[in-house]
Amino acid sequence: MSSKTGNSVIALLAGAAIGIGLGILFAPDKGSKTREKMKEGFDDLKNQANSKWNSLEEETKEKFSKTKDDLIETVEDLLSNSSYKAEEAITFLEEKLAELKKQNAKLQK
């Protein structure tokens, strides 16, 4: 979770709690109405927190998916480049071996 998003969620929860507390203190309504308002406030807070959580979860999944795809692409590129380098090394060694065989053949005569 990014620090900015975490701070936003904490600020949202703290603000909602303070708002509910102040609403209760200054409420001119009956207890039943106040409880209903509190319930609605908590439901709103819960919905906002769930929405933030779902958004954060989706964002995290997307970032990890991109990272995974980038890693796979990097590994494939590395393997491809390694294959070309290996082919170059084999060709070089075959040429050197052919030269050594020629030199050895001259020495054996």
Side-chain angles (χ1 to χ4, degrees):
M1 175 187 321
S2 71
S3 179
K4 223 176 208 181
T5 305
N7 289 340
S8 297
V9 171
I10 291 171
L12 174 74
L13 295 174
I18 291 170
I20 290 171
L22 289 173
I24 291 170
L25 289 175
F26 296 106
D29 293 332
K30 294 182 186 179
S32 60
K33 287 186 179 182
T34 302
R35 284 189 295 276
E36 182 63 32
K37 286 181 181 179
M38 284 177 56
K39 182 184 178 307
E40 289 173 2
F42 282 124
D43 288 343
D44 288 345
L45 179 60
K46 178 182 160 188
N47 290 339
Q48 288 175 354
N50 282 338
S51 175
K52 234 355 175 179
W53 178 262
N54 290 338
S55 173
L56 179 62
E57 183 179 25
E58 198 61 37
E59 186 179 311
T60 302
K61 284 181 183 178
E62 184 178 317
K63 284 181 181 179
F64 278 119
S65 176
K66 287 180 181 177
T67 302
K68 179 182 174 187
D69 292 341
D70 289 345
L71 178 61
I72 289 171
E73 184 178 332
T74 301
V75 168
E76 287 174 352
D77 288 346
L78 180 61
L79 289 174
S80 177
N81 289 339
S82 297
S83 176
Y84 287 118
K85 293 294 181 186
E87 190 65 34
E88 289 174 9
I90 290 170
T91 302
F92 173 77
L93 291 172
E94 286 173 339
E95 290 170 356
K96 287 296 180 186
L97 180 61
E99 287 177 24
L100 289 173
K101 282 184 177 182
K102 285 180 184 177
Q103 289 176 359
N104 191 34
K106 287 180 184 176
L107 293 175
Q108 289 181 354
K109 290 185 181 184

